[in-house]
């Protein structure tokens, strides 16, 4: 059994842990056991620990001593710290940590001004998506949809919940065979396959080489009435307007809402609809430094619903539906995280321990953020009114 911090006054690291205890004592809600190399054990909080933090060396101890979120994440990715037990509980400890890195935050905001939006977008997308496609398939379900599912109940399979979300997008946009849809950010072809098998023509945009190769093979293998373009959303034009536009989990990469709405209006036919879903935060550019440095670099920003709706109100678009998917995204991320852990040995052997650790932090951290209401998620349906008919906003008058 580990002893309390106060009982370990003779050990050389007591001073560090007394300092940690002093800084977290009033805020710590879960009991934590911290094990140092050499079998030194400390406990913080009351009760039997459900979280174990294993400090492998002095680099790990230094990160823990500073109670800096980024340093602790980096120490974990480097193998200087390990974590066992309740990962949701471990992720909740970030509320005790500091995360003040102003130079990194400033550069992330101004980089597009120096490098250019399109180049910044390509670099950012490559930084997250251009790993081996097989890596992502190890923790996603067979639909390969990389945004929130829509669950009827918590015990439902992720695949069934994802198919419900894809059906929702098709129905919300009133799509039928022969319609032409723009899929912004094709990913691993979840919407392309789901809609293409119904005879819907999908033009899928991607700026990831891995995604382009996957989509090309998928379309050819299944003989779908679809095509893929390696093209940025901002560069895309079409000789004929689209019947609908879908944006699954990509609004986080499109933070300039007025420009997005203007471009959607140019690409969409009158009476056409837009379906989008996204992870969201109430402060547009607020996110952990770990996420902005190691998960979503560049101009990525969580979707900010109230700011987006303010811009929609200035545009030609009508808002038809808004759905809060916070709990749905918690369930989605939790299942992804569990599947990642189940595939740990293969992931580590094929792609390395650091990539596994990076995504373990990201997926459990995201699940906890949705569970604690720190983050939100939404589905939104828009319509470009047909000037030759009564608009949606006038239908009830």
């Amino acid at each position: 059994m580990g002893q309390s911090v106060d009982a370990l006054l003779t050990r050389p690291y007591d001073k560090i842990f007394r300092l940690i205890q002093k800084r977290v004592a009033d805020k710590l809600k879960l009991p934590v056991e911290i094990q140092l190399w050499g079998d030194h054990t400390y406990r913080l909080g009351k009760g039997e620990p459900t979280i174990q933090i294993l400090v492998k060396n002095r680099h790990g101890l230094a990160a823990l001593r500073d109670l800096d979120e980024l340093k602790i994440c980096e120490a974990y990715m480097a193998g200087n710290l390990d974590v066992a037990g309740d990962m949701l509980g471990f992720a909740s400890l970030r509320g005790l940590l500091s995360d003040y890195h102003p130079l990194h935050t400033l550069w992330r905001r101004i980089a597009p001004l120096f490098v250019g939006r399109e180049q910044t977008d390509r670099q950012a997308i490559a930084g997250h998506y251009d790993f081996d496609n097989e890596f992502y398939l190890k923790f996603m379900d067979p639909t390969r949809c990389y945004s929130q599912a829509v669950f009827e109940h918590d015990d439902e399979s992720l695949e069934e919940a994802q198919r419900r979300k894809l059906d929702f997008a098709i129905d919300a946009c009133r799509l039928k065979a022969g319609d032409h849809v723009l899929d912004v950010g094709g990913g691993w072809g979840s919407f392309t396959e789901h809609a293409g098998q119904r005879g819907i023509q999908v033009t899928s945009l991607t700026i990831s080489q891995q995604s382009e190769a996957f989509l090309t093979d998928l379309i050819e293998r299944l003989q779908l009435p679809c095509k893929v373009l390696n093209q940025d959303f901002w560069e895309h034009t079409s000789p004929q307007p689209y019947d609908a536009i879908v944006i699954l989990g990509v609004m986080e990469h499109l933070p300039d809402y007025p420009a997005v709405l203007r471009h959607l209006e140019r690409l969409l036919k009158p009476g056409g609809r837009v379906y989008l879903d996204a992870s969201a935060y109430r402060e547009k550019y607020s996110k952990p430094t770990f996420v902005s440095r190691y998960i979503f670099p560049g101009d990525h920003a969580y979707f900010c619903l109230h700011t987006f709706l303010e811009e929609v109100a200035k545009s030609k678009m009508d808002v038809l539906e808004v759905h809060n998917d916070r709990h749905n995204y918690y369930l989605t991320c939790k299942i992804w995280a569990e599947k990642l852990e189940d595939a740990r040995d293969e992931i580590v052997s094929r792609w390395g321990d650091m990539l596994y650790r990076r995504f373990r932090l990201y997926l459990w951290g995201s699940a906890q953020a949705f569970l604690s209401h720190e983050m939100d998620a939404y589905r939104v349906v828009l319509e470009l009114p047909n000037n030759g008919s009564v608009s949606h906003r006038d239908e009830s008058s």
Side-chain angles (χ1 to χ4, degrees):
M1 295 290 292
Q3 302 177 55
S4 69
V5 171
D6 290 335
L8 298 172
L9 299 179
T10 60
R11 292 181 177 172
Y13 305 111
D14 289 344
K15 186 176 181 180
I16 293 175
F17 281 92
R18 286 181 65 87
L19 177 62
I20 292 173
Q21 184 188 44
K22 183 177 180 181
R23 291 177 60 182
V24 306
D26 295 336
K27 302 177 183 178
L28 187 64
K29 297 179 181 180
L30 296 172
V32 178
E33 181 175 274
I34 301 174
Q35 295 183 5
L36 271 65
W37 66 98
D39 202 31
H40 299 311
T41 302
Y42 298 82
R43 285 187 177 179
L44 303 173
K46 298 178 180 179
E48 191 67 22
T50 59
I51 304 163
Q52 289 183 319
I53 300 175
L54 313 174
V55 184
K56 298 300 188 69
N57 51 43
R58 286 176 172 78
H59 298 294
L61 183 61
L64 200 62
R65 176 197 63 206
D66 293 341
L67 293 178
D68 180 281
E69 181 180 344
L70 177 63
K71 291 181 180 179
I72 289 173
C73 289
E74 290 177 332
Y76 174 76
M77 288 191 296
N80 298 321
L81 291 174
D82 259 329
V83 181
D86 178 9
M87 284 300 294
L88 278 174
F90 173 72
S92 73
L93 299 178
R94 64 181 300 265
L96 307 175
L97 309 177
S98 63
D99 188 25
Y100 183 65
H101 302 277
L103 292 179
H104 173 77
T105 302
L106 177 63
W107 173 247
R108 181 170 62 87
R109 294 290 302 277
I110 67 176
L113 301 176
F114 292 95
V115 182
R117 182 183 298 277
E118 288 78 10
Q119 183 62 28
T120 301
D121 287 347
R122 286 187 176 274
Q123 291 174 352
I125 292 299
H128 183 83
Y129 296 96
D130 273 352
F131 302 112
D132 190 335
N133 289 319
E134 286 294 321
F135 165 69
Y136 291 92
L137 299 183
K138 289 301 173 187
F139 65 83
M140 289 193 290
D141 71 286
T143 69
R144 308 175 306 280
C145 190
Y146 199 37
S147 62
Q148 74 266 32
V150 176
F151 291 81
E152 281 194 344
H153 52 81
D154 288 12
D155 295 330
E156 188 173 35
S157 73
L158 179 57
E159 180 178 0
E160 189 173 355
Q162 288 288 20
R163 293 192 186 283
R164 180 177 297 106
K165 193 275 288 288
L166 295 169
D167 286 340
F168 178 90
I170 289 173
D171 293 342
C173 291
R174 303 175 301 187
L175 294 173
K176 60 187 184 302
D179 284 346
H180 194 185
V181 183
L182 179 66
D183 180 17
V184 181
W188 294 273
S190 58
F191 184 81
T192 298
E193 179 176 351
H194 202 74
Q197 289 182 330
R198 299 186 182 194
I200 299 167
Q201 301 175 47
V202 181
T203 295
S204 191
L205 302 182
T206 183
I207 52 176
S208 161
Q209 292 180 347
Q210 289 284 340
S211 172
E212 180 187 15
F214 191 96
L215 282 162
T216 299
D217 176 73
L218 178 75
I219 291 168
E220 292 178 355
R221 179 163 41 84
L222 299 182
Q223 294 295 292
L224 301 174
C226 308
K227 64 179 180 180
V228 57
L229 299 176
N230 190 321
Q231 192 174 75
D232 194 282
F233 170 70
W234 303 108
E235 301 169 334
H236 183 66
T237 60
S238 176
Q240 298 295 327
Y242 291 97
D243 295 291
I245 299 172
V246 297
I247 309 175
L248 279 66
V250 180
M251 282 302 299
E252 298 93 330
H253 302 286
L254 301 171
D256 187 347
Y257 300 153
V260 169
L261 290 163
R262 288 193 297 269
H263 202 40
L264 291 175
E265 290 171 3
R266 286 191 288 266
L267 293 169
L268 196 63
K269 67 163 44 175
R273 292 186 175 183
V274 176
Y275 167 84
L276 65 90
D277 59 46
S279 55
Y281 201 81
R282 298 196 177 197
E283 296 179 27
K284 187 173 180 181
Y285 286 98
S286 178
K287 63 179 176 179
T289 307
F290 163 72
V291 173
S292 63
R293 181 172 290 184
Y294 293 104
I295 304 299
F296 290 116
D299 202 23
H300 171 282
Y302 291 120
F303 185 58
C304 186
L305 180 67
H306 62 270
T307 302
F308 179 75
L309 294 181
E310 288 172 2
E311 297 304 329
V312 173
K314 301 172 188 176
S315 75
K316 299 176 183 178
M317 294 284 194
D318 284 341
V319 179
L320 302 187
E321 300 181 44
V322 177
H323 300 265
N324 189 318
D325 276 346
R326 181 196 294 133
H327 187 67
N328 283 323
Y329 224 150
Y330 155 67
L331 294 173
T332 303
C333 287
K334 180 175 179 288
I335 293 171
W336 284 343
E338 290 168 345
K339 288 171 67 69
L340 182 88
E341 296 216 357
D342 289 342
R344 178 192 177 279
D345 291 346
E346 182 178 356
I347 289 172
V348 170
S349 67
R350 294 180 64 179
W351 299 289
D353 191 46
M354 184 172 287
L355 184 61
Y356 167 77
R357 287 169 176 260
R358 184 195 305 189
F359 273 77
R360 189 184 188 213
L361 288 174
Y362 165 56
L363 295 177
W364 281 115
S366 297
Q368 194 280 329
F370 291 118
L371 180 64
S372 66
H373 295 194
E374 180 184 345
M375 285 182 61
D376 295 302
Y378 296 100
R379 280 170 287 149
V380 179
V381 182
L382 308 175
E383 182 177 88
L384 181 63
N386 189 337
N387 292 331
S389 63
V390 178
S391 73
H392 180 82
R393 63 165 65 98
D394 295 328
E395 287 176 355
S396 60
S397 61

